[in-house]
Amino acid sequence: MALRLGQIVESLGGQLFGDPQQSVLKLAPIETAQADDLSFVSHPKYQSQLTTSRAGCLIVSPALASLAQARGACIVTDNPYHYFARLTQLWRAKQPSNDEPNIHPSAVVHPTAQLDGSARIGPLCVIERGARVGAHTWLKSSVTLGEECVIGQRCIVHSGVVVGADGFGFALFEGVWEKIEQLGAVRIGNDVEIGANTCIDRGALEDTVIEDGVKLDNLVQIGHNVHIGAHTAMAGCVGVAGSARIGAHCTVGGGAVVLGHLELAEGVHISAASVVMRSIRQPGQYSGVFPIDDNASWEKNAATLRQLHRLRDRIKSLESALESQKK
């Protein structure tokens, strides 16, 4: 497939410097792009790659426009990364349409489930009783949507996702775990994307809620009764325990954990591999990672950390003694 530079600018905007009839055969990273490729430079620190790139055309910011024009064709826009994202969507839309039926023959759909006519249900999906899928939502292969669970419009749910399994609810009585039936469901808003093999548990009494625009990576675990605010993003292997509430426009780095019943305010950003053990009421960047080291040093440092309270008390005593001597 090929697109002319003029077509791209007509569809997406930006200022083209170069021949509108020039064709682009594919999109490529700046390091490997060739004469028929289109790439982008999102930050001035990559300007050295700009000057050496073989790409037929580059998407750049105004700050790099002169440098880009000196080397060849370019499209100038205020936010090259966002422009490139929209370009990938345009590229996908121009590809030949899929002639497969909207509901794959191997999918199992309960008679009471409600699927919008534009929804796509992939091979080996299971849509259980009373579940609903909105317009232009795509469930890829082997997705399970549990009873009474709802997915909104324009969502993408990747292979192996399970929405609406029972939450981890048990009551310990006389040494035996008694199951707490999970009577809620899962409600997922519009424009949500869920990565492969992610699991979202149904609520115990009320629903687990994923608001509009949320993006979940692969292998994310969302516990029962969790509420995730709009346009929050979580990277791979994040775990959110039951009844946690995550605000809108938050980010959670890969492998991080949020403990149950905690609250994160809007605009909280958690670094990768951190463990959130208390509620966070103010927006900002938060980290809780013990730096990696060779094992012997790490063990010594960990042992020292366990003694910090004693060291603090000793320092306070020494400070008091010094103050007494001054008097």
Side-chain angles (χ1 to χ4, degrees), residues 138 140 143 151 155-163 186 188 191-200 210 214-220 222:
W138 185 7
K140 299 196 176 183
V143 170
I151 298 180
C155 297
I156 301 173
V157 183
H158 290 275
S159 300
V161 167
V162 177
V163 175
V186 177
I188 296 174
D191 303 300
V192 172
E193 184 158 352
I194 303 172
N197 294 318
T198 283
C199 295
I200 304 173
I210 312 294
V214 168
K215 311 300 181 188
L216 303 179
D217 197 0
N218 302 335
L219 295 167
V220 172
I222 305 297

Side-chain angles (χ1 to χ4, degrees), residues 27-327:
L27 310 181
I30 190 170
E31 302 90 341
T32 59
Q34 300 298 313
D36 292 326
D37 300 340
L38 176 59
S39 191
F40 72 101
V41 181
S42 60
H43 195 280
K45 69 181 181 181
Y46 299 118
Q47 69 179 40
S48 61
Q49 292 177 306
L50 183 155
T51 57
T52 59
S53 175
R54 297 182 179 179
C57 181
L58 289 173
I59 303 165
V60 298
S61 66
L64 297 176
S66 298
L67 200 60
Q69 289 176 60
R71 64 161 298 281
C74 64
I75 297 171
V76 179
T77 180
D78 289 337
N79 190 324
Y81 194 54
H82 181 243
Y83 194 98
F84 188 76
R86 293 171 59 221
L87 177 57
T88 63
Q89 296 170 17
L90 176 65
W91 203 270
R92 176 77 73 183
K94 295 292 185 180
Q95 289 181 346
S97 59
N98 190 338
D99 294 330
E100 293 182 359
N102 276 18
I103 302 176
H104 194 275
S106 65
V108 178
V109 180
H110 194 278
T112 63
Q114 299 177 38
L115 310 182
D116 186 273
S118 62
R120 295 172 60 186
I121 311 300
L124 303 175
C125 287
V126 177
I127 314 296
E128 297 183 351
R129 176 180 57 81
R132 287 181 284 154
V133 180
H136 305 289
T137 283
W138 185 7
L139 274 57
K140 299 196 176 183
S141 61
S142 302
V143 170
T144 298
L145 183 61
E147 295 178 357
E148 307 295 338
C149 294
V150 177
I151 298 180
Q153 302 176 19
R154 300 177 301 278
C155 297
I156 301 173
V157 183
H158 290 275
S159 300
V161 167
V162 177
V163 175
D166 276 359
F168 195 66
F170 300 90
L172 185 62
F173 179 71
E174 296 181 349
V176 176
W177 294 104
E178 191 76 24
K179 182 175 178 60
I180 300 171
E181 292 295 341
Q182 305 293 287
L183 306 179
V186 177
R187 287 187 288 118
I188 296 174
N190 302 326
D191 303 300
V192 172
E193 184 158 352
I194 303 172
N197 294 318
T198 283
C199 295
I200 304 173
D201 291 343
R202 66 176 56 248
L205 298 176
E206 297 181 342
D207 294 342
T208 301
V209 176
I210 312 294
E211 293 188 7
D212 293 350
V214 168
K215 311 300 181 188
L216 303 179
D217 197 0
N218 302 335
L219 295 167
V220 172
Q221 163 64 27
I222 305 297
H224 57 182
N225 298 106
V226 167
H227 190 121
I228 300 178
H231 306 291
T232 281
M234 297 183 178
C237 297
V238 164
V240 182
S243 299
R245 296 186 66 86
I246 313 295
H249 299 283
C250 292
T251 58
V252 183
V257 174
V258 180
L259 299 187
H261 300 274
L262 300 183
E263 294 187 20
L264 271 59
E266 180 175 345
V268 167
H269 305 287
I270 304 299
S271 298
S274 297
V275 180
V276 181
M277 303 179 69
R278 60 177 175 84
S279 291
I280 299 175
R281 311 291 185 185
Q282 298 296 324
Q285 182 77 41
Y286 295 84
S287 302
V289 182
F290 196 77
I292 194 169
D293 203 345
D294 67 86
N295 192 66
S297 296
W298 188 94
E299 287 181 349
K300 290 176 183 177
N301 289 331
T304 301
L305 281 174
R306 289 197 295 267
Q307 304 299 320
L308 280 180
H309 65 289
R310 294 180 184 176
L311 292 172
R312 179 197 61 191
D313 293 342
R314 289 179 62 188
I315 289 170
K316 285 185 176 180
S317 297
L318 289 169
E319 288 175 341
S320 297
L322 288 171
E323 287 296 325
S324 298
Q325 288 178 6
K326 289 179 183 179
K327 294 177 182 177

